Amino acid sequence: MTPPPPPARRRRAGAPERSYPRRGSVRRAQMITTYGVGSMIAVDNESFMVSGIDSWNMTDAPTVHEHRLARVLGVKSFRLPPASDDTSKDGVHVRRFPLWHSCPGCNALQHVGQFNSPPGKNECGDCHEELVPSRFVMACPKGHIEDFPYWKWAHRNNRQDGGAGLCGGELRLRTSGKTASLRSILISCTCGIPEVSMEGAFRRTALSDLKVYCNGRRPWLGNAPAEHCGEKPRTLQRGSSVAWQPIVRTALSIPPWSDGHAARLGAYWDDLRTMKDNPSEMAGFLKALTLQEDYEFSLDKVMALLEAENHEDDASEEDKGVDSAYVALRKQEYERLVAGRPEGETDHEDQFVCEPPRSSEAILTPYGVTGPMLVKRLREVRALKAFSRVDTPETHTDVHEAALSLAPMDWLPAMEVQGEGVFLRLDEQRLDDWARSAAVAARADRIRANHVRMLRERAQDPANVPDSPADARMVLLHTLAHALINEWSLDGGYPAASLRERLYADDSMAGLLICTATSDSAGSLGGLVAQGEPDRLEPALHSALRRAQWCSADPLCVESTGSGVGGINLAACHACVLLPETSCEHNNGLLDRALLIGTPEDPSIGFFHEALR
């Protein structure tokens, strides 16, 4: 069997296949986290919505390989969002949205196509003022979105049920300037109805009370047919954070998938799986592939990759119904971080180097910290799986995932972050002994009860409420990660927002990884790995714990019975352990510094209280 022909080469410099007017630019990473498919982006005085991935021209977009995450998400690979240079007019496609605009000169409020704008300009054809996109849109929890129904809102007390705008008048929008509230935004119609304000438009039932229902429109998918939808629409501001929330899945590149073999074989896995039981056929295939790709493929390495894939499948089947596929990914990462991978066993293409520190770790024994590892080379892939509106993953447990394309695609947009990190574990026997304390269990149970209540309140199906991950072990590891990030941001040369936690906490795991979180130059300064050496880690850990003993908000903070959203934090506030949201996996929830250092009344609650004597 001969390998398939090589993929088409990238299009050389020159005119793109189709040219579109260039409307602005964002960083590639923002296409995953901030301005992904379905989001609205402001460009000068205009507003656009990013189109679905099935409309993107991916000719020049690099492929990102992360085998484990791709299998979990059901795709073959990931792609970096396409980027255009100064001479190209191609890139990520956008569509104008919202379509209703207002003119600050004549106060007209209508569809943008009715302004008779000059070609290529977004201005009023009568007074030549630049048009202003509507501040308000209408969206539902299933991701549908459309223009706010201004006519129905203005005529809500002057129309029959179901009236759709046949008065023959023209809408006007003006601002009284008296206040900055919705009461000062006034809408009128030339048909003579009384002027009304936007006050009350954001009530949960404001639109449904007007018999305004969701039409199931998906403007990011172009001419996609409307879906049937029974959800009640909500009024949102165009720039609101709940108007678009990304659903991102991440994974670390770990052996055996972290070397050049796995990435170069990405297009041939289906063929290789069919030859798994026929090594001689595979050897011939790899020999032909070596000549074609100008890269030496090893039969032993390929067989090891296929064996690892089978082992992962078997492990997933064993955990089915207990742990999600994402938890299985974490367990694989934890095992590899514990085992390590010395730099001497890797080549220049390997994206995972994890070594024990050079100095003795005995100095960390009083803290219960064991097995620190220096992750000198690390790669994290973050893929945009879907997005949500109105309901967010942080506020609802069963959020609807809006699709990125009309038809299923075999790839998803993703970004990769290459940097470094420090991995720490806590002594599991000491952890278990500490967690059995009645006072410790009481604090952990309080956090867990508050979290379960919040999950139950936010679940649409009371019979399908996920279990809370909060227990004494998890909250301790989480709070320790926050304390260390704050400390290292002062001592390691990194801003706190450029560091990120990755927790490994369940009955079989008790570790945390603090790694660089940004894809720019702040991800490879080298200062973070240096903090993992025991002779530097011990003073940093001691300083972080001492700093956690006192908060400027004490005694209110340490005596809190519930803080944060839903009361899922205890002794935690912005003056002590909270971080930028980009650095935290749990949206700054499930934290309690009393589990680190104890309380003034009972210091023994703290896991590290003996080390601080």
Side-chain angles (χ1 to χ4, degrees):
M1 181 177 182
T2 58
R9 299 295 181 188
R10 292 183 177 180
R11 191 171 65 245
R12 301 300 180 187
E17 295 175 358
R18 294 187 64 183
S19 294
Y20 296 90
R22 187 165 183 168
R23 296 296 186 180
S25 62
V26 297
R27 296 175 60 183
R28 269 178 161 165
Q30 291 179 302
M31 295 301 302
I32 307 299
T33 60
T34 311
Y35 299 121
V37 172
S39 67
M40 287 169 281
I41 177 172
V43 180
D44 296 329
N45 291 325
E46 300 179 85
S47 175
F48 300 94
M49 178 171 287
V50 179
S51 298
I53 59 175
D54 45 3
S55 71
W56 295 4
N57 187 330
M58 303 303 293
T59 306
D60 293 338
T63 300
V64 176
H65 294 283
E66 176 42 53
H67 190 78
R68 297 185 310 125
L69 185 60
R71 298 198 75 197
V72 169
L73 296 179
V75 295
K76 291 184 177 180
S77 64
F78 304 104
R79 306 291 294 274
L80 282 176
S84 58
D85 55 32
D86 294 336
T87 61
S88 171
K89 294 184 180 180
D90 201 12
V92 174
H93 295 175
V94 296
R95 299 175 183 273
R96 187 178 299 280
F97 187 87
L99 296 177
W100 275 65
H101 287 54
S102 62
C103 174
C106 59
N107 294 332
L109 174 64
Q110 58 192 3
H111 191 282
V112 66
Q114 297 176 340
F115 280 99
N116 297 320
S117 302
K121 294 185 178 181
N122 189 47
E123 62 181 38
C124 179
D126 295 330
C127 55
H128 304 292
E129 291 281 347
E130 288 190 345
L131 300 178
V132 179
S134 168
R135 282 179 55 187
F136 309 105
V137 295
M138 183 178 80
C140 84
K142 286 191 175 180
H144 305 133
I145 190 169
E146 54 188 292
D147 285 278
F148 182 81
Y150 285 104
W151 190 93
K152 292 184 178 181
W153 181 258
H155 293 77
R156 61 184 184 274
N157 297 321
N158 299 275
R159 68 184 179 94
Q160 298 178 348
D161 290 345
L166 303 178
C167 69
E170 296 179 355
L171 294 179
R172 296 285 186 267
L173 182 146
R174 71 180 183 90
T175 303
S176 68
K178 295 180 179 179
T179 68
S181 67
L182 294 174
R183 185 179 300 177
S184 294
I185 301 176
L186 304 173
I187 301 173
S188 60
C189 182
T190 56
C191 69
I193 61 168
E195 195 173 49
V196 300
S197 75
M198 287 294 294
E199 186 176 25
F202 285 82
R203 288 187 296 108
R204 185 175 294 271
T205 60
L207 296 179
S208 57
D209 289 346
L210 296 179
K211 300 189 183 316
V212 174
Y213 305 106
C214 178
N215 295 314
R217 291 176 181 166
R218 299 169 290 173
W220 69 95
L221 298 180
N223 298 321
E227 293 182 317
H228 172 73
C229 181
E231 295 284 348
K232 294 181 179 180
R234 294 278 302 277
T235 303
L236 301 176
Q237 291 205 63
R238 175 162 49 91
S240 169
S241 61
V242 296
W244 187 84
Q245 278 284 324
I247 298 177
V248 178
R249 298 290 181 256
T250 69
L252 300 181
S253 295
I254 59 173
W257 306 103
S258 58
D259 63 10
H261 260 68
R264 285 183 169 85
L265 291 171
Y268 309 112
W269 279 114
D270 291 339
D271 294 325
L272 291 171
R273 291 188 189 103
T274 63
M275 294 178 274
K276 179 175 59 177
D277 298 325
N278 192 340
S280 60
E281 182 183 6
M282 183 180 295
F285 182 88
L286 293 176
K287 186 175 182 179
L289 198 60
T290 296
L291 297 174
Q292 178 178 293
E293 298 288 338
D294 194 23
Y295 180 86
E296 186 68 32
F297 290 98
S298 166
L299 176 62
D300 293 338
K301 286 187 176 182
V302 174
M303 294 297 289
L305 290 172
L306 292 172
E307 183 63 30
E309 186 178 81
N310 291 336
H311 178 71
E312 292 168 3
D313 291 341
D314 293 340
S316 298
E317 287 297 323
E318 292 175 3
D319 292 338
K320 193 173 183 179
V322 179
D323 296 320
S324 68
Y326 304 109
V327 175
L329 289 179
R330 290 292 175 101
K331 288 186 175 180
Q332 296 163 13
E333 293 170 7
Y334 182 77
E335 293 171 357
R336 179 52 63 178
L337 287 166
V338 171
R341 185 179 178 89
E343 190 168 8
E345 298 178 5
T346 65
D347 57 30
H348 69 282
E349 289 189 337
D350 204 304
Q351 296 162 331
F352 184 85
V353 175
C354 180
E355 297 180 329
R358 295 187 298 271
S359 55
S360 172
E361 60 188 66
I363 193 174
L364 301 174
T365 301
Y367 298 91
V369 175
T370 181
M373 299 294 283
L374 310 181
V375 189
K376 297 181 177 180
R377 200 180 303 163
L378 183 69
R379 174 179 179 262
E380 181 186 20
V381 174
R382 302 174 189 168
L384 179 63
K385 179 188 179 187
F387 67 90
S388 65
R389 302 194 200 275
V390 182
D391 297 341
T392 68
E394 289 79 22
T395 60
H396 285 74
T397 57
D398 46 1
V399 62
H400 178 82
E401 298 183 355
L404 303 184
S405 59
L406 186 58
M409 306 285 285
D410 63 358
W411 60 273
L412 288 173
M415 59 176 287
E416 54 183 353
V417 178
Q418 298 187 355
E420 58 189 20
V422 175
F423 175 70
L424 303 177
R425 284 184 295 150
L426 297 183
D427 186 295
E428 294 197 46
Q429 183 60 51
R430 182 170 167 179
L431 261 179
D432 293 338
D433 295 341
W434 165 79
R436 280 193 286 268
S437 166
V440 171
R443 294 189 72 90
D445 289 344
R446 188 182 307 166
I447 293 176
R448 184 180 182 86
N450 291 345
H451 194 214
V452 169
R453 184 182 67 251
M454 184 184 75
L455 295 175
R456 188 181 296 114
E457 290 172 352
R458 291 173 171 176
Q460 297 181 7
D461 182 6
N464 187 27
V465 180
D467 193 22
S468 170
D471 58 17
R473 175 181 295 201
M474 182 269 173
V475 176
L476 172 67
L477 287 166
H478 190 198
T479 312
L480 177 61
H482 279 229
L484 281 174
I485 288 177
N486 276 328
E487 183 66 26
W488 285 344
S489 69
L490 300 174
D491 193 41
Y494 288 94
S498 70
L499 299 179
R500 182 181 178 91
E501 69 182 7
R502 197 168 180 86
L503 303 178
Y504 301 90
D506 67 5
D507 294 339
S508 60
M509 299 187 292
L512 61 94
L513 172 68
I514 298 176
C515 57
T516 51
T518 58
S519 56
D520 56 16
S521 59
S524 55
L525 295 177
L528 185 57
V529 165
Q531 299 298 319
E533 288 289 347
D535 56 350
R536 295 182 66 94
L537 178 59
E538 190 276 335
L541 181 58
H542 187 83
S543 176
L545 296 173
R546 285 292 184 192
R547 199 183 302 275
Q549 284 184 311
W550 177 251
C551 170
S552 60
D554 281 342
L556 295 178
C557 179
V558 75
E559 294 176 356
S560 171
T561 58
S563 63
V565 179
I568 59 176
N569 290 335
L570 291 185
C573 71
H574 283 284
C576 50
V577 294
L578 297 193
L579 292 174
E581 290 187 1
T582 55
S583 300
C584 180
E585 288 191 317
H586 295 280
N587 202 34
N588 273 329
L590 309 178
L591 295 164
D592 182 15
R593 63 187 172 91
L595 295 185
L596 294 179
I597 45 86
T599 63
E601 296 79 14
D602 187 2
S604 65
I605 292 176
F607 181 81
F608 299 100
H609 79 280
E610 292 185 357
L612 294 176
R613 286 180 178 176

